[in-house]
Amino acid sequence: METEIRLRVDGQEHEVAVDTRTTVLDALRERLGITSPKKGCDHGQCGSCTVLLDGRRATTCLALAVAHDGAEIVTAEGLGTDGELHPVQEAFVDHDALQCGYCTPGQVCSAVGVLREAAQGWPSVVTEVGAEGDIVLDQEEIAERMSGNLCRCGAYVNIVSAVAAAAEAEGAGR
Amino acid sequence: MKPFRYERATDAAHAVATVAAHPGAAFLGAGTNLVDHLKLGITAPDLLVDVSRLPLDEVAELDDGGLRVGANVRNADLAAHPAVRARYPVLSQALLSGASGQLRNLATTGGNLLQRTRCAYFQDPSTPCNKRDPGSGCAALEGWTRYHAILGASSHCVAVHPSDMAVAMAALDAVVVTLGPDGERRIPVTDFHRLPGDAPHRDTVLRHGELITAVELPGLPWAARSRYRKVRDRASYAFALVSVAVALDLEDDGRTVREARIALGGIAHKPWRAERAEQALRGLPATEESCRTAADAETADAHPLRDNAFKIPLVHNTLVAVVRDLVPETPGSSLEGAR
Ligand SMILES: Cc1cc2nc3c(=O)[nH]c(=O)nc-3n(C[C@H](O)[C@H](O)[C@H](O)COP(=O)(O)OP(=O)(O)OC[C@H]3O[C@@H](n4cnc5c(N)ncnc54)[C@H](O)[C@@H]3O)c2cc1C
Ligand code: FES
Ligand code: FES
């Protein structure tokens, strides 16, 4: 049962025929050859398949492609501009925030989402109740907000520093 | 995964008519639970009716000061909604303690209420499970029961309901609004989920083809003093061992409990409204001692399984901790000690 759908991925339009059972992750990797989103657990548990889906970070392994016809997707590959790394990617490199790198594309997309969510004032479960305005992305906030991304190499300490540095750089740029 | 047809609903009535007319059909929200089950082989619908683009995505004010939350409002948006944060912090916190940021960006209010148990035996089709496969038995009864029920279970099923959001909604007396083939129904969330009895495969009182369109949160000004606390095996991104939702109305002395709304998660087949604890706490000062009395009242009939007797003291300690967060410190308060 193939259906034709349209996906805009990293700025490029694609038309792709997918079986109704195809997930967004499989459509990207297997049909379009876009392999930066990784398949880790395939059950929503590890975060390695995270992309920015219509502007928000989202896991893609449990999302059916047919249900996301017309979606705008940005993967880790499409984050940079003109051959330059995205500031979050730079921060990951600067802070040595990876070992094998398998979880990294998902971590990076998630971190970009975290910065946007914090900039909009979205709370996390560790944000004090009643706190208003800017979210200060301290270590506790970053760890909580990034907890949907698991890293088998255990590179967490440096991932948290990378996200903190990116948050600080962004704050400075505002 | 068995092949299935996919249809996008054009409006709520169309979605209801399509699923109602088709025994093998299911509604699709974001799919974060349903698609997982398709992959695991737990369920095999032959038609999915996608309701996720229906315009049921608003949080609207109600005349009584409450809120009407559309079934398609995403968990992340509901948690961040200024009115929810200000008036029902317990709900915002419950949502934020569930799943991960990237799942909450997808998960819908309707789908969250209907997510199924995370019981390891339910999720493993190679083991017997009366919930997945009625009449096959329950592997959990003689199995690993750290996560299972201590209240309201039966010899047919000891699984717990996994939703955090629903626990907060149970404390708030929320009402689930549905559209079925026979029209609209309003079901208090405390009556929405079922205890297992001898039919654990039926999680809720919904009928086939009945669509959740909204959840209404009644106006409850004192719910501004409310909190959710979730205790789990790791600091984040895990299901609850025990969770406690509390809203407190205090007398003018800032200490005596006028009214309390308490619900517990991780301990029963449904979000557990703790009416006995509420009753016990009414009129008492909000101290550690009275919290323990209240928890005693609630857990008096608990039936722990092999691996989960720890949940009884955990309910006690968590209730004390939540109330401690809610009651402004008074010198000499015996809650001090629990800090
Ligand atoms: C790794 C992981 C961790 C998680 N951790 C937590 C956690 O800690 N706490 C927690 O509470 N949740 C947790 N969740 C569960 C998550 O919150 C649910 O999967 C999600 O809320 C379901 O919403 P959905 O829109 O994706 O539903 P779907 O998967 O689309 O649907 C779920 C069910 O609801 C039905 N349905 C959907 N919408 C409607 C409607 N409007 N009317 C009638 N029926 C409908 C579907 O037919 C299906 O049976 C976790 C999930 C994952 C994958
Ligand atoms: S592959 Fe999607 S969360 Fe693990
Ligand atoms: S760097 Fe290896 S999994 Fe994270």
Side-chain angles (χ1 to χ4, degrees):
Chain A
M1 276 165 257
E2 299 249 306
T3 322
E4 226 10 68
I5 62 162
R6 298 166 74 86
L7 294 175
R8 194 176 158 81
V9 189
D10 296 334
Q12 232 189 307
E13 284 292 344
H14 298 271
E15 270 192 28
V16 54
V18 292
D19 183 285
T20 50
R21 292 170 290 183
T22 310
T23 60
V24 173
L25 178 62
D26 287 342
L28 291 171
R29 291 182 59 85
E30 285 166 20
R31 310 308 298 272
L32 299 176
I34 298 163
T35 53
S36 64
K38 302 300 180 204
K39 183 180 282 192
C41 64
D42 211 21
H43 289 281
Q45 298 171 359
C46 75
S48 69
C49 65
T50 303
V51 302
L52 298 164
L53 179 63
D54 294 323
R56 289 155 59 134
R57 61 178 171 143
T59 42
T60 50
C61 60
L62 297 176
L64 292 179
V66 278
H68 291 274
D69 185 11
E72 163 96 39
I73 290 171
V74 178
T75 75
E77 249 171 282
L79 278 175
T81 38
D82 306 327
E84 298 274 310
L85 290 179
H86 184 279
V88 168
Q89 291 171 319
E90 294 259 18
F92 269 66
V93 175
D94 290 348
H95 290 260
D96 215 2
L98 57 143
Q99 284 184 38
C100 76
Y102 195 82
C103 70
T104 310
Q107 299 275 4
V108 165
C109 288
S110 201
V112 172
V114 165
L115 298 188
R116 285 184 192 169
E117 290 163 12
Q120 291 173 62
W122 283 17
S124 82
V125 76
V126 301
T127 308
E128 205 180 311
V129 173
E132 275 171 44
D134 286 353
I135 300 290
V136 181
L137 285 178
D138 58 16
Q139 166 139 357
E140 193 191 10
E141 283 280 3
I142 292 169
E144 167 56 32
R145 287 166 193 257
M146 291 293 294
S147 65
N149 294 78
L150 308 187
C151 174
R152 297 182 86 150
C153 297
Y156 296 113
V157 175
N158 293 358
I159 292 170
V160 171
S161 337
V163 179
E168 209 175 297
E170 188 172 87
R174 243 188 267 150
Chain B
M1 198 189 299
K2 208 179 90 182
F4 53 82
R5 280 193 304 123
Y6 168 90
E7 233 179 274
R8 191 171 295 150
T10 50
D11 59 37
H14 164 249
V16 171
T18 311
V19 172
H22 195 112
F27 294 117
L28 173 72
T32 60
N33 196 227
L34 184 58
V35 176
D36 206 8
H37 290 173
L38 300 178
K39 288 184 179 187
L40 293 167
I42 290 176
T43 178
D46 51 24
L47 170 65
L48 292 190
V49 176
D50 185 355
V51 295
S52 68
R53 298 195 194 195
L54 294 179
L56 304 169
D57 56 356
E58 291 201 344
V59 178
E61 292 286 343
L62 292 174
D63 289 342
D64 71 345
L67 295 174
R68 182 182 170 96
V69 180
N72 279 335
V73 173
R74 306 287 158 161
N75 287 175
D77 293 312
L78 188 58
H81 195 285
V84 174
R85 288 176 71 183
R87 294 186 223 162
Y88 311 101
V90 64
L91 177 58
S92 177
Q93 289 187 311
L95 285 158
L96 293 170
S97 70
S100 64
Q102 48 273 60
L103 285 162
R104 294 192 294 269
N105 275 339
L106 295 168
T108 63
T109 303
N112 189 302
L113 276 176
L114 289 176
Q115 65 174 298
R116 307 204 66 194
T117 184
R118 303 299 281 210
C119 171
Y121 303 99
F122 171 78
Q123 293 203 282
D124 176 359
S126 71
T127 62
C129 168
N130 289 325
K131 191 182 248 321
R132 174 170 29 77
D133 187 8
S136 62
C138 171
L141 284 177
E142 299 298 320
W144 182 71
T145 50
R146 179 168 173 78
Y147 280 90
H148 290 76
I150 55 169
L151 282 167
S154 75
S155 58
H156 299 274
C157 182
V158 293
V160 297
H161 194 265
S163 169
D164 293 293
M165 178 191 85
V167 176
M169 287 179 172
L172 294 169
D173 274 337
V175 175
V176 183
V177 185
T178 69
L179 183 67
D182 306 326
E184 200 174 277
R185 278 213 286 170
R186 300 172 53 82
I187 311 163
V189 84
T190 46
D191 298 338
F192 183 78
H193 299 96
R194 297 177 67 258
L195 288 178
D198 60 3
H201 58 286
R202 289 180 48 224
D203 291 351
T204 69
V205 301
L206 276 194
R207 302 175 192 135
H208 182 70
E210 199 170 351
L211 178 76
I212 299 178
T213 54
V215 175
E216 290 188 359
L217 305 169
L220 189 69
W222 50 267
R225 188 192 297 278
S226 65
R227 290 290 184 281
Y228 187 75
R229 192 181 280 225
K230 179 173 177 180
V231 185
R232 39 188 159 181
D233 275 331
R234 56 184 189 201
S236 187
Y237 201 25
F239 286 89
L241 287 166
V242 160
S243 70
V244 177
V246 180
L248 274 188
D249 187 18
L250 298 178
E251 300 286 359
D252 295 341
D253 64 2
R255 203 155 175 271
T256 309
V257 177
R258 188 182 291 142
E259 217 26 272
R261 298 281 188 83
I262 305 173
L264 308 174
I267 58 147
H269 198 250
K270 59 183 283 186
W272 189 265
R273 180 68 182 268
E275 278 167 4
R276 291 183 185 183
E278 293 173 5
Q279 172 66 33
L281 210 49
R282 228 168 264 143
L284 294 182
T287 60
E288 169 162 0
E289 198 188 346
S290 48
C291 289
R292 295 203 180 275
T293 307
D296 271 337
E298 199 60 52
T299 54
D301 298 338
H303 275 289
L305 301 160
R306 193 190 68 191
D307 307 316
N308 68 6
F310 71 91
K311 287 191 177 185
I312 297 174
L314 197 52
V315 165
H316 283 64
N317 294 342
T318 311
L319 181 64
V320 170
V322 179
V323 171
R324 179 195 70 207
D325 279 352
L326 284 173
V327 181
E329 283 175 60
T330 38
S333 154
S334 54
L335 285 169
E336 278 300 287
R339 198 163 277 277

